[in-house]
Amino acid sequence: MKNFVYYGELYSIYGFLLTDKQKEIFSLYYEENLSLSEIAEYKKVSKSYVGKLISDVEKKLNYYEDNLHHYELLEKTAKKNINFH
């Protein structure tokens, strides 16, 4: 569950950097909570293709965060705001 929240957050930050196909499949998996099999059937592609695409997107999102640190900065800011009040 933690991965779903984390990747959902990264997607909201870096999603605009992904292709339309990557966004669609990622959204079906992480936001619509469809299984790999359900997505494969819906998109008329193989389950392994869906799994690879999701894995590739996760790697891209991790790469963007490792280099740009926007999520990290948002987390630090949120913690400071909580401690401030």
Side-chain angles (χ1 to χ4, degrees):
M1 183 66 172
K2 184 178 178 182
N3 274 350
F4 271 79
V5 173
Y6 178 69
Y7 283 116
E9 292 291 325
L10 291 185
Y11 179 73
S12 69
I13 297 167
Y14 304 114
F16 71 96
L17 297 168
L18 302 172
T19 67
D20 289 341
K21 186 179 290 189
Q22 289 171 328
K23 287 187 249 186
E24 182 181 17
I25 300 290
F26 188 87
S27 178
L28 289 170
Y29 185 71
Y30 276 97
E31 294 174 350
E32 302 298 325
N33 204 28
L34 296 179
S35 70
L36 299 180
S37 297
E38 291 169 323
I39 297 168
E41 184 178 325
Y42 173 69
K43 298 302 293 175
K44 306 287 189 247
V45 296
S46 71
K47 182 179 170 184
S48 62
Y49 171 79
V50 174
K52 178 161 178 16
L53 190 138
I54 290 170
S55 177
D56 290 347
V57 170
E58 290 171 347
K59 288 175 187 173
K60 276 189 173 191
L61 293 174
N62 286 327
Y63 173 81
Y64 296 142
E65 178 57 22
D66 289 345
N67 288 281
L68 300 172
H69 307 286
H70 285 255
Y71 178 79
E72 179 184 333
L73 292 172
L74 289 171
E75 286 291 298
K76 285 180 182 178
T77 302
K79 286 180 184 177
K80 285 182 183 178
N81 287 337
I82 290 171
N83 291 333
F84 180 72
H85 296 294

